[in-house]
Amino acid sequence: MKPEATEVIWRDGAVRLELSPFVSDEWLDYVAAVWFGGAARRYQRRNVREQVARFEKPRFLSLRYAGKLIGSYLIDQQALTFNQQPVSGFYRGLLSVDATFRSQHLGGAMTDAALRWIKERAESRTALTYGCIDEYNKRSVALLSERGMQALTVLRQRLFYRQFKRRTLATARVTNALTSNALADLAASTERMVTPDDWSYGNWITVDDKRTQRIAARYAVNELALAPMSGVAGFVINRLMPLFPPGRRRFNPHAFRYVSISDPVNGAGPKASWDALIEHLMVIHDCHFVCLISDTVDSSGNALLDSGALGRKALEKASTVGVLGQWLNSPERPDDIGFRLAARDF
């Protein structure tokens, strides 16, 4: 099969949209400089190269004006399973347009071009195109809603904090993968048929000990630069804390590092087991925060969120992320969309 090459999928005068299976340093540097989010919470992505490496079959879209990169987008073609049937998935993310060009409706043009490309690849097969939108990003929500995207599910995110992290788990207890025993636990706790391929995506950690219940979770390491916060809290966090080494090590708004976890296995397990796992991840990844992400219908994730097993909360109120998407060539919408679909985001 002839390898894919960079192609122009939309053009308007001096503006063109290129799609490539290869990522360039220019594209990575551009995305790292973009402020994502909405008015209430804005951030820049720091470890972009590591983040995009988590996707299955990504295509990188570059919006250019007279050759200059002025916008980004990403499409990741994925193999999904619904009702034990294979489905083509097309995740869309990292949509941005340089502030100088935002009044020219280029974000909509990029989205339309990406959707046309997706529909051509889907042909007559059932496919799902979707993206994860922060609750504060009203502009993106409106743009996608105008194009027929519907809310598929809502994700809950909550940060947990450890002021002192000292413990790591014994090597004999930890496997940096989803073990066959943990997979069996997972199959027993879900109504859907679970196969190894369904759950092979991403990094997993399993803790197994004869004295405690086996637990596992999918995880990813992220680093962000956070926009300055307003008010007294913002002054303390952004101006005072960085002046003191202990505060700077624990929370640096210019390099906020955390581990996100999802898809907990045996989420109702002993508190001590989850507590030790959380601290283990913090130690080996050099951070003081873990973010648990769960779907509103994910019983295991919500049980873990509400049980207190992860310890002290850093943010009392959970923030939410909407998953907006659209089924293509499907006579009826499958009813088992869950967090596993959105866990592929970062």
PDB file of all heavy atoms in Angstrom, residues 108-142:
ATOM      1  N   GLY A 108     -14.624  27.179  11.832  1.00  0.00           N
ATOM      2  CA  GLY A 108     -15.729  26.451  11.218  1.00  0.00           C
ATOM      3  C   GLY A 108     -15.324  25.795   9.916  1.00  0.00           C
ATOM      4  O   GLY A 108     -15.716  24.669   9.613  1.00  0.00           O
ATOM      5  N   ALA A 109     -14.524  26.510   9.116  1.00  0.00           N
ATOM      6  CA  ALA A 109     -14.064  25.943   7.846  1.00  0.00           C
ATOM      7  C   ALA A 109     -13.183  24.723   8.075  1.00  0.00           C
ATOM      8  O   ALA A 109     -13.271  23.724   7.345  1.00  0.00           O
ATOM      9  CB  ALA A 109     -13.302  27.005   7.049  1.00  0.00           C
ATOM     10  N   MET A 110     -12.326  24.781   9.094  1.00  0.00           N
ATOM     11  CA  MET A 110     -11.475  23.636   9.422  1.00  0.00           C
ATOM     12  C   MET A 110     -12.319  22.443   9.867  1.00  0.00           C
ATOM     13  O   MET A 110     -12.072  21.298   9.462  1.00  0.00           O
ATOM     14  CB  MET A 110     -10.488  24.011  10.529  1.00  0.00           C
ATOM     15  CG  MET A 110      -9.445  25.026  10.113  1.00  0.00           C
ATOM     16  SD  MET A 110      -8.448  25.576  11.516  1.00  0.00           S
ATOM     17  CE  MET A 110      -7.532  24.078  11.896  1.00  0.00           C
ATOM     18  N   THR A 111     -13.315  22.715  10.695  1.00  0.00           N
ATOM     19  CA  THR A 111     -14.185  21.644  11.173  1.00  0.00           C
ATOM     20  C   THR A 111     -14.945  21.008  10.017  1.00  0.00           C
ATOM     21  O   THR A 111     -15.052  19.776   9.926  1.00  0.00           O
ATOM     22  CB  THR A 111     -15.168  22.182  12.224  1.00  0.00           C
ATOM     23  OG1 THR A 111     -14.430  22.758  13.318  1.00  0.00           O
ATOM     24  CG2 THR A 111     -16.058  21.071  12.754  1.00  0.00           C
ATOM     25  N   ASP A 112     -15.487  21.822   9.127  1.00  0.00           N
ATOM     26  CA  ASP A 112     -16.225  21.298   7.979  1.00  0.00           C
ATOM     27  C   ASP A 112     -15.333  20.442   7.088  1.00  0.00           C
ATOM     28  O   ASP A 112     -15.740  19.370   6.616  1.00  0.00           O
ATOM     29  CB  ASP A 112     -16.817  22.452   7.167  1.00  0.00           C
ATOM     30  CG  ASP A 112     -17.915  23.189   7.921  1.00  0.00           C
ATOM     31  OD1 ASP A 112     -18.506  22.582   8.841  1.00  0.00           O
ATOM     32  OD2 ASP A 112     -18.159  24.368   7.603  1.00  0.00           O
ATOM     33  N   ALA A 113     -14.109  20.894   6.843  1.00  0.00           N
ATOM     34  CA  ALA A 113     -13.183  20.133   6.005  1.00  0.00           C
ATOM     35  C   ALA A 113     -12.818  18.811   6.663  1.00  0.00           C
ATOM     36  O   ALA A 113     -12.730  17.762   6.002  1.00  0.00           O
ATOM     37  CB  ALA A 113     -11.919  20.955   5.730  1.00  0.00           C
ATOM     38  N   ALA A 114     -12.614  18.842   7.986  1.00  0.00           N
ATOM     39  CA  ALA A 114     -12.281  17.610   8.706  1.00  0.00           C
ATOM     40  C   ALA A 114     -13.442  16.623   8.659  1.00  0.00           C
ATOM     41  O   ALA A 114     -13.242  15.414   8.461  1.00  0.00           O
ATOM     42  CB  ALA A 114     -11.922  17.938  10.157  1.00  0.00           C
ATOM     43  N   LEU A 115     -14.669  17.116   8.805  1.00  0.00           N
ATOM     44  CA  LEU A 115     -15.843  16.236   8.762  1.00  0.00           C
ATOM     45  C   LEU A 115     -16.039  15.635   7.373  1.00  0.00           C
ATOM     46  O   LEU A 115     -16.423  14.465   7.247  1.00  0.00           O
ATOM     47  CB  LEU A 115     -17.086  16.994   9.207  1.00  0.00           C
ATOM     48  CG  LEU A 115     -17.135  17.385  10.689  1.00  0.00           C
ATOM     49  CD1 LEU A 115     -18.365  18.235  10.985  1.00  0.00           C
ATOM     50  CD2 LEU A 115     -17.124  16.139  11.583  1.00  0.00           C
ATOM     51  N   ARG A 116     -15.763  16.421   6.344  1.00  0.00           N
ATOM     52  CA  ARG A 116     -15.853  15.869   4.985  1.00  0.00           C
ATOM     53  C   ARG A 116     -14.828  14.744   4.801  1.00  0.00           C
ATOM     54  O   ARG A 116     -15.139  13.703   4.218  1.00  0.00           O
ATOM     55  CB  ARG A 116     -15.624  16.972   3.948  1.00  0.00           C
ATOM     56  CG  ARG A 116     -16.781  17.933   3.785  1.00  0.00           C
ATOM     57  CD  ARG A 116     -16.639  18.765   2.512  1.00  0.00           C
ATOM     58  NE  ARG A 116     -15.432  19.580   2.537  1.00  0.00           N
ATOM     59  CZ  ARG A 116     -15.391  20.831   3.020  1.00  0.00           C
ATOM     60  NH1 ARG A 116     -16.483  21.382   3.522  1.00  0.00           N
ATOM     61  NH2 ARG A 116     -14.255  21.510   2.983  1.00  0.00           N
ATOM     62  N   TRP A 117     -13.624  14.966   5.282  1.00  0.00           N
ATOM     63  CA  TRP A 117     -12.575  13.948   5.171  1.00  0.00           C
ATOM     64  C   TRP A 117     -12.967  12.682   5.931  1.00  0.00           C
ATOM     65  O   TRP A 117     -12.798  11.563   5.444  1.00  0.00           O
ATOM     66  CB  TRP A 117     -11.267  14.512   5.717  1.00  0.00           C
ATOM     67  CG  TRP A 117     -10.077  13.622   5.549  1.00  0.00           C
ATOM     68  CD1 TRP A 117      -9.215  13.586   4.489  1.00  0.00           C
ATOM     69  CD2 TRP A 117      -9.605  12.630   6.471  1.00  0.00           C
ATOM     70  NE1 TRP A 117      -8.239  12.647   4.683  1.00  0.00           N
ATOM     71  CE2 TRP A 117      -8.458  12.036   5.905  1.00  0.00           C
ATOM     72  CE3 TRP A 117     -10.037  12.193   7.725  1.00  0.00           C
ATOM     73  CZ2 TRP A 117      -7.735  11.031   6.545  1.00  0.00           C
ATOM     74  CZ3 TRP A 117      -9.325  11.188   8.359  1.00  0.00           C
ATOM     75  CH2 TRP A 117      -8.189  10.616   7.770  1.00  0.00           C
ATOM     76  N   ILE A 118     -13.547  12.854   7.111  1.00  0.00           N
ATOM     77  CA  ILE A 118     -13.978  11.713   7.932  1.00  0.00           C
ATOM     78  C   ILE A 118     -15.087  10.935   7.225  1.00  0.00           C
ATOM     79  O   ILE A 118     -15.058   9.693   7.173  1.00  0.00           O
ATOM     80  CB  ILE A 118     -14.450  12.204   9.317  1.00  0.00           C
ATOM     81  CG1 ILE A 118     -13.237  12.659  10.155  1.00  0.00           C
ATOM     82  CG2 ILE A 118     -15.224  11.105  10.050  1.00  0.00           C
ATOM     83  CD1 ILE A 118     -13.610  13.380  11.427  1.00  0.00           C
ATOM     84  N   LYS A 119     -16.064  11.634   6.669  1.00  0.00           N
ATOM     85  CA  LYS A 119     -17.181  10.962   6.004  1.00  0.00           C
ATOM     86  C   LYS A 119     -16.710  10.185   4.776  1.00  0.00           C
ATOM     87  O   LYS A 119     -17.239   9.113   4.470  1.00  0.00           O
ATOM     88  CB  LYS A 119     -18.249  11.986   5.637  1.00  0.00           C
ATOM     89  CG  LYS A 119     -18.973  12.548   6.861  1.00  0.00           C
ATOM     90  CD  LYS A 119     -19.960  13.641   6.490  1.00  0.00           C
ATOM     91  CE  LYS A 119     -20.648  14.198   7.731  1.00  0.00           C
ATOM     92  NZ  LYS A 119     -21.584  15.306   7.429  1.00  0.00           N
ATOM     93  N   GLU A 120     -15.722  10.711   4.089  1.00  0.00           N
ATOM     94  CA  GLU A 120     -15.168   9.981   2.942  1.00  0.00           C
ATOM     95  C   GLU A 120     -14.485   8.692   3.402  1.00  0.00           C
ATOM     96  O   GLU A 120     -14.586   7.656   2.734  1.00  0.00           O
ATOM     97  CB  GLU A 120     -14.163  10.869   2.205  1.00  0.00           C
ATOM     98  CG  GLU A 120     -14.793  12.022   1.458  1.00  0.00           C
ATOM     99  CD  GLU A 120     -13.749  12.954   0.871  1.00  0.00           C
ATOM    100  OE1 GLU A 120     -12.540  12.667   1.064  1.00  0.00           O
ATOM    101  OE2 GLU A 120     -14.122  13.958   0.234  1.00  0.00           O
ATOM    102  N   ARG A 121     -13.793   8.747   4.533  1.00  0.00           N
ATOM    103  CA  ARG A 121     -13.111   7.554   5.035  1.00  0.00           C
ATOM    104  C   ARG A 121     -14.095   6.552   5.614  1.00  0.00           C
ATOM    105  O   ARG A 121     -13.871   5.342   5.569  1.00  0.00           O
ATOM    106  CB  ARG A 121     -12.088   7.942   6.116  1.00  0.00           C
ATOM    107  CG  ARG A 121     -10.940   8.814   5.641  1.00  0.00           C
ATOM    108  CD  ARG A 121     -10.232   8.213   4.457  1.00  0.00           C
ATOM    109  NE  ARG A 121      -9.169   9.049   3.920  1.00  0.00           N
ATOM    110  CZ  ARG A 121      -9.327  10.081   3.121  1.00  0.00           C
ATOM    111  NH1 ARG A 121     -10.552  10.466   2.781  1.00  0.00           N
ATOM    112  NH2 ARG A 121      -8.296  10.747   2.642  1.00  0.00           N
ATOM    113  N   ALA A 122     -15.190   7.041   6.167  1.00  0.00           N
ATOM    114  CA  ALA A 122     -16.174   6.133   6.757  1.00  0.00           C
ATOM    115  C   ALA A 122     -16.915   5.352   5.683  1.00  0.00           C
ATOM    116  O   ALA A 122     -17.350   4.216   5.920  1.00  0.00           O
ATOM    117  CB  ALA A 122     -17.174   6.921   7.606  1.00  0.00           C
ATOM    118  N   GLU A 123     -17.077   5.950   4.491  1.00  0.00           N
ATOM    119  CA  GLU A 123     -17.808   5.333   3.380  1.00  0.00           C
ATOM    120  C   GLU A 123     -19.184   4.896   3.880  1.00  0.00           C
ATOM    121  O   GLU A 123     -19.938   5.688   4.397  1.00  0.00           O
ATOM    122  CB  GLU A 123     -16.985   4.173   2.815  1.00  0.00           C
ATOM    123  CG  GLU A 123     -15.651   4.626   2.199  1.00  0.00           C
ATOM    124  CD  GLU A 123     -14.799   3.479   1.715  1.00  0.00           C
ATOM    125  OE1 GLU A 123     -14.981   2.345   2.188  1.00  0.00           O
ATOM    126  OE2 GLU A 123     -13.924   3.735   0.862  1.00  0.00           O
ATOM    127  N   SER A 124     -19.525   3.616   3.735  1.00  0.00           N
ATOM    128  CA  SER A 124     -20.849   3.162   4.144  1.00  0.00           C
ATOM    129  C   SER A 124     -20.837   2.488   5.510  1.00  0.00           C
ATOM    130  O   SER A 124     -21.860   1.991   5.976  1.00  0.00           O
ATOM    131  CB  SER A 124     -21.418   2.189   3.104  1.00  0.00           C
ATOM    132  OG  SER A 124     -20.578   1.047   2.981  1.00  0.00           O
ATOM    133  N   ARG A 125     -19.676   2.474   6.156  1.00  0.00           N
ATOM    134  CA  ARG A 125     -19.575   1.791   7.446  1.00  0.00           C
ATOM    135  C   ARG A 125     -20.104   2.679   8.571  1.00  0.00           C
ATOM    136  O   ARG A 125     -20.043   3.901   8.501  1.00  0.00           O
ATOM    137  CB  ARG A 125     -18.119   1.430   7.739  1.00  0.00           C
ATOM    138  CG  ARG A 125     -17.501   0.424   6.772  1.00  0.00           C
ATOM    139  CD  ARG A 125     -16.009   0.342   7.008  1.00  0.00           C
ATOM    140  NE  ARG A 125     -15.369   1.628   6.698  1.00  0.00           N
ATOM    141  CZ  ARG A 125     -14.111   1.918   6.994  1.00  0.00           C
ATOM    142  NH1 ARG A 125     -13.374   1.051   7.655  1.00  0.00           N
ATOM    143  NH2 ARG A 125     -13.588   3.095   6.662  1.00  0.00           N
ATOM    144  N   THR A 126     -20.590   2.032   9.619  1.00  0.00           N
ATOM    145  CA  THR A 126     -20.981   2.776  10.806  1.00  0.00           C
ATOM    146  C   THR A 126     -19.730   3.358  11.452  1.00  0.00           C
ATOM    147  O   THR A 126     -18.739   2.660  11.655  1.00  0.00           O
ATOM    148  CB  THR A 126     -21.706   1.867  11.810  1.00  0.00           C
ATOM    149  OG1 THR A 126     -22.900   1.370  11.220  1.00  0.00           O
ATOM    150  CG2 THR A 126     -22.061   2.641  13.077  1.00  0.00           C
ATOM    151  N   ALA A 127     -19.775   4.630  11.748  1.00  0.00           N
ATOM    152  CA  ALA A 127     -18.619   5.307  12.331  1.00  0.00           C
ATOM    153  C   ALA A 127     -19.099   6.347  13.332  1.00  0.00           C
ATOM    154  O   ALA A 127     -20.260   6.788  13.300  1.00  0.00           O
ATOM    155  CB  ALA A 127     -17.766   5.961  11.246  1.00  0.00           C
ATOM    156  N   LEU A 128     -18.201   6.717  14.203  1.00  0.00           N
ATOM    157  CA  LEU A 128     -18.488   7.732  15.216  1.00  0.00           C
ATOM    158  C   LEU A 128     -17.390   8.786  15.169  1.00  0.00           C
ATOM    159  O   LEU A 128     -16.205   8.459  15.213  1.00  0.00           O
ATOM    160  CB  LEU A 128     -18.537   7.110  16.607  1.00  0.00           C
ATOM    161  CG  LEU A 128     -18.708   8.091  17.773  1.00  0.00           C
ATOM    162  CD1 LEU A 128     -20.092   8.736  17.724  1.00  0.00           C
ATOM    163  CD2 LEU A 128     -18.495   7.395  19.114  1.00  0.00           C
ATOM    164  N   THR A 129     -17.766  10.045  15.055  1.00  0.00           N
ATOM    165  CA  THR A 129     -16.818  11.134  15.185  1.00  0.00           C
ATOM    166  C   THR A 129     -17.164  11.916  16.444  1.00  0.00           C
ATOM    167  O   THR A 129     -18.333  12.211  16.700  1.00  0.00           O
ATOM    168  CB  THR A 129     -16.827  12.058  13.952  1.00  0.00           C
ATOM    169  OG1 THR A 129     -15.971  13.176  14.207  1.00  0.00           O
ATOM    170  CG2 THR A 129     -18.216  12.551  13.609  1.00  0.00           C
ATOM    171  N   TYR A 130     -16.158  12.238  17.250  1.00  0.00           N
ATOM    172  CA  TYR A 130     -16.441  12.861  18.545  1.00  0.00           C
ATOM    173  C   TYR A 130     -15.243  13.682  19.020  1.00  0.00           C
ATOM    174  O   TYR A 130     -14.131  13.572  18.499  1.00  0.00           O
ATOM    175  CB  TYR A 130     -16.779  11.796  19.594  1.00  0.00           C
ATOM    176  CG  TYR A 130     -15.579  10.985  20.047  1.00  0.00           C
ATOM    177  CD1 TYR A 130     -14.915  11.298  21.230  1.00  0.00           C
ATOM    178  CD2 TYR A 130     -15.101   9.923  19.292  1.00  0.00           C
ATOM    179  CE1 TYR A 130     -13.805  10.573  21.640  1.00  0.00           C
ATOM    180  CE2 TYR A 130     -14.004   9.186  19.704  1.00  0.00           C
ATOM    181  CZ  TYR A 130     -13.362   9.514  20.879  1.00  0.00           C
ATOM    182  OH  TYR A 130     -12.267   8.798  21.281  1.00  0.00           O
ATOM    183  N   GLY A 131     -15.480  14.508  20.021  1.00  0.00           N
ATOM    184  CA  GLY A 131     -14.426  15.287  20.647  1.00  0.00           C
ATOM    185  C   GLY A 131     -14.815  15.617  22.065  1.00  0.00           C
ATOM    186  O   GLY A 131     -16.002  15.573  22.430  1.00  0.00           O
ATOM    187  N   CYS A 132     -13.841  15.945  22.905  1.00  0.00           N
ATOM    188  CA  CYS A 132     -14.072  16.289  24.303  1.00  0.00           C
ATOM    189  C   CYS A 132     -13.923  17.800  24.475  1.00  0.00           C
ATOM    190  O   CYS A 132     -12.879  18.361  24.130  1.00  0.00           O
ATOM    191  CB  CYS A 132     -13.073  15.565  25.195  1.00  0.00           C
ATOM    192  SG  CYS A 132     -13.187  13.765  25.074  1.00  0.00           S
ATOM    193  N   ILE A 133     -14.966  18.437  24.977  1.00  0.00           N
ATOM    194  CA  ILE A 133     -15.021  19.895  25.053  1.00  0.00           C
ATOM    195  C   ILE A 133     -15.154  20.331  26.511  1.00  0.00           C
ATOM    196  O   ILE A 133     -16.078  19.910  27.200  1.00  0.00           O
ATOM    197  CB  ILE A 133     -16.206  20.465  24.249  1.00  0.00           C
ATOM    198  CG1 ILE A 133     -16.230  19.863  22.837  1.00  0.00           C
ATOM    199  CG2 ILE A 133     -16.130  21.974  24.203  1.00  0.00           C
ATOM    200  CD1 ILE A 133     -15.017  20.173  22.005  1.00  0.00           C
ATOM    201  N   ASP A 134     -14.239  21.166  26.973  1.00  0.00           N
ATOM    202  CA  ASP A 134     -14.307  21.691  28.326  1.00  0.00           C
ATOM    203  C   ASP A 134     -15.584  22.499  28.516  1.00  0.00           C
ATOM    204  O   ASP A 134     -16.025  23.213  27.604  1.00  0.00           O
ATOM    205  CB  ASP A 134     -13.087  22.569  28.588  1.00  0.00           C
ATOM    206  CG  ASP A 134     -12.962  22.982  30.044  1.00  0.00           C
ATOM    207  OD1 ASP A 134     -13.644  23.956  30.442  1.00  0.00           O
ATOM    208  OD2 ASP A 134     -12.193  22.339  30.767  1.00  0.00           O
ATOM    209  N   GLU A 135     -16.168  22.412  29.712  1.00  0.00           N
ATOM    210  CA  GLU A 135     -17.441  23.079  29.969  1.00  0.00           C
ATOM    211  C   GLU A 135     -17.364  24.599  29.788  1.00  0.00           C
ATOM    212  O   GLU A 135     -18.367  25.250  29.504  1.00  0.00           O
ATOM    213  CB  GLU A 135     -17.908  22.779  31.398  1.00  0.00           C
ATOM    214  CG  GLU A 135     -16.978  23.286  32.478  1.00  0.00           C
ATOM    215  CD  GLU A 135     -17.472  22.982  33.880  1.00  0.00           C
ATOM    216  OE1 GLU A 135     -18.699  22.842  34.043  1.00  0.00           O
ATOM    217  OE2 GLU A 135     -16.645  22.887  34.804  1.00  0.00           O
ATOM    218  N   TYR A 136     -16.170  25.167  29.930  1.00  0.00           N
ATOM    219  CA  TYR A 136     -16.027  26.615  29.796  1.00  0.00           C
ATOM    220  C   TYR A 136     -15.847  27.064  28.349  1.00  0.00           C
ATOM    221  O   TYR A 136     -15.880  28.260  28.068  1.00  0.00           O
ATOM    222  CB  TYR A 136     -14.817  27.092  30.614  1.00  0.00           C
ATOM    223  CG  TYR A 136     -14.919  26.781  32.086  1.00  0.00           C
ATOM    224  CD1 TYR A 136     -14.064  25.852  32.681  1.00  0.00           C
ATOM    225  CD2 TYR A 136     -15.858  27.417  32.882  1.00  0.00           C
ATOM    226  CE1 TYR A 136     -14.146  25.568  34.031  1.00  0.00           C
ATOM    227  CE2 TYR A 136     -15.957  27.144  34.227  1.00  0.00           C
ATOM    228  CZ  TYR A 136     -15.092  26.214  34.802  1.00  0.00           C
ATOM    229  OH  TYR A 136     -15.185  25.939  36.139  1.00  0.00           O
ATOM    230  N   ASN A 137     -15.632  26.135  27.440  1.00  0.00           N
ATOM    231  CA  ASN A 137     -15.318  26.496  26.060  1.00  0.00           C
ATOM    232  C   ASN A 137     -16.614  26.663  25.255  1.00  0.00           C
ATOM    233  O   ASN A 137     -16.977  25.827  24.431  1.00  0.00           O
ATOM    234  CB  ASN A 137     -14.426  25.422  25.422  1.00  0.00           C
ATOM    235  CG  ASN A 137     -13.758  25.900  24.159  1.00  0.00           C
ATOM    236  OD1 ASN A 137     -14.208  26.853  23.534  1.00  0.00           O
ATOM    237  ND2 ASN A 137     -12.699  25.226  23.764  1.00  0.00           N
ATOM    238  N   LYS A 138     -17.301  27.742  25.509  1.00  0.00           N
ATOM    239  CA  LYS A 138     -18.606  27.984  24.887  1.00  0.00           C
ATOM    240  C   LYS A 138     -18.493  28.126  23.369  1.00  0.00           C
ATOM    241  O   LYS A 138     -19.392  27.729  22.628  1.00  0.00           O
ATOM    242  CB  LYS A 138     -19.245  29.242  25.488  1.00  0.00           C
ATOM    243  CG  LYS A 138     -19.367  29.228  26.998  1.00  0.00           C
ATOM    244  CD  LYS A 138     -20.240  28.079  27.488  1.00  0.00           C
ATOM    245  CE  LYS A 138     -20.432  28.151  28.999  1.00  0.00           C
ATOM    246  NZ  LYS A 138     -21.202  26.991  29.524  1.00  0.00           N
ATOM    247  N   ARG A 139     -17.392  28.710  22.901  1.00  0.00           N
ATOM    248  CA  ARG A 139     -17.217  28.938  21.468  1.00  0.00           C
ATOM    249  C   ARG A 139     -17.205  27.611  20.704  1.00  0.00           C
ATOM    250  O   ARG A 139     -17.894  27.448  19.694  1.00  0.00           O
ATOM    251  CB  ARG A 139     -15.919  29.704  21.207  1.00  0.00           C
ATOM    252  CG  ARG A 139     -15.677  30.044  19.742  1.00  0.00           C
ATOM    253  CD  ARG A 139     -14.256  30.538  19.551  1.00  0.00           C
ATOM    254  NE  ARG A 139     -14.008  31.742  20.287  1.00  0.00           N
ATOM    255  CZ  ARG A 139     -14.150  32.976  19.806  1.00  0.00           C
ATOM    256  NH1 ARG A 139     -14.555  33.126  18.555  1.00  0.00           N
ATOM    257  NH2 ARG A 139     -13.887  34.036  20.541  1.00  0.00           N
ATOM    258  N   SER A 140     -16.423  26.638  21.198  1.00  0.00           N
ATOM    259  CA  SER A 140     -16.333  25.343  20.520  1.00  0.00           C
ATOM    260  C   SER A 140     -17.644  24.567  20.608  1.00  0.00           C
ATOM    261  O   SER A 140     -18.041  23.887  19.661  1.00  0.00           O
ATOM    262  CB  SER A 140     -15.195  24.510  21.123  1.00  0.00           C
ATOM    263  OG  SER A 140     -13.936  25.089  20.822  1.00  0.00           O
ATOM    264  N   VAL A 141     -18.307  24.642  21.765  1.00  0.00           N
ATOM    265  CA  VAL A 141     -19.588  23.952  21.917  1.00  0.00           C
ATOM    266  C   VAL A 141     -20.594  24.476  20.900  1.00  0.00           C
ATOM    267  O   VAL A 141     -21.312  23.701  20.246  1.00  0.00           O
ATOM    268  CB  VAL A 141     -20.121  24.118  23.355  1.00  0.00           C
ATOM    269  CG1 VAL A 141     -21.560  23.600  23.458  1.00  0.00           C
ATOM    270  CG2 VAL A 141     -19.231  23.390  24.353  1.00  0.00           C
ATOM    271  N   ALA A 142     -20.655  25.794  20.741  1.00  0.00           N
ATOM    272  CA  ALA A 142     -21.600  26.388  19.786  1.00  0.00           C
ATOM    273  C   ALA A 142     -21.244  25.993  18.358  1.00  0.00           C
ATOM    274  O   ALA A 142     -22.128  25.653  17.561  1.00  0.00           O
ATOM    275  CB  ALA A 142     -21.593  27.908  19.943  1.00  0.00           C
TER     276      ALA A 142
END
